[in-house]
Amino acid sequence: MAITESELSAARDAWGAGLVAISKAYEAGGIDEARPVAEGVLDAAYGYNLGPVLFKPTLASGDQTFRPTKKGALSYFVGHDEEYPLDGGFALLGWRNVEMVTAASFIEGDVAMWQGMGIMTDKDGKVTKANKSFGYKKDANGVLRIVLHHSSLPYQP
């Protein structure tokens, strides 16, 4: 079952909406409310059920730069995990809007890749831009899953 451009767009929109939902849950009820929302976002969007996910978060470094496990990804998004002491919780930063601007995409059957700019706006109107690459695979149920997620801040010469 081939992936379509509209499915790629919907997957990116869902990822952005998930980031905003985690931020709002944190503001409403702290980490105890944000963590289950983040777990739901990870379960809905990422392919940790398929195996390791090639996830390189924007603000991760050192020995914990890469997050192939759901536990590592959850810590990146919401922090509060002693095994990842440098994680402050990227999804807890008050996000209100996420826009994804496409540079290019590639689709081959049930695998697709997308690259572009993520433009995230917080509750104070501050904008953060990140270069993003997502790799997707459809699972056995036809659900598009992120199996590769690379994010970095734009190069500043």
Side-chain angles (χ1 to χ4, degrees), residues 15 19 46 54-62 64-67 72-73 76-77 86-87 89-91 93 95 100 116-120 128-134 149-155:
W15 185 90
L19 188 66
Y46 288 83
L54 309 177
F55 181 23
K56 190 283 174 196
T58 314
L59 304 176
S61 64
Q64 297 180 322
T65 296
F66 301 100
R67 304 300 173 90
Y76 179 73
F77 282 110
L86 300 179
D87 287 352
F90 180 75
L93 298 177
W95 303 117
M100 298 293 208
M117 179 72 66
I119 304 168
M120 294 153 286
T128 299
K129 295 181 180 181
N131 298 320
K132 298 270 189 197
S133 296
F134 286 111
H149 176 177
H150 182 277
S151 183
S152 59
L153 296 175
Y155 173 63

Side-chain angles (χ1 to χ4, degrees), residues 3 8 45-47 53-54 106 110-115 132-138 144-150:
I3 296 171
L8 283 179
Y46 288 83
V53 170
L54 309 177
F106 170 89
D110 68 348
V111 173
M113 289 169 261
W114 175 91
Q115 193 168 61
K132 298 270 189 197
S133 296
F134 286 111
Y136 298 93
K137 178 162 178 53
K138 276 194 176 177
L144 208 56
R145 301 285 181 187
I146 298 168
V147 294
L148 176 136
H149 176 177
H150 182 277

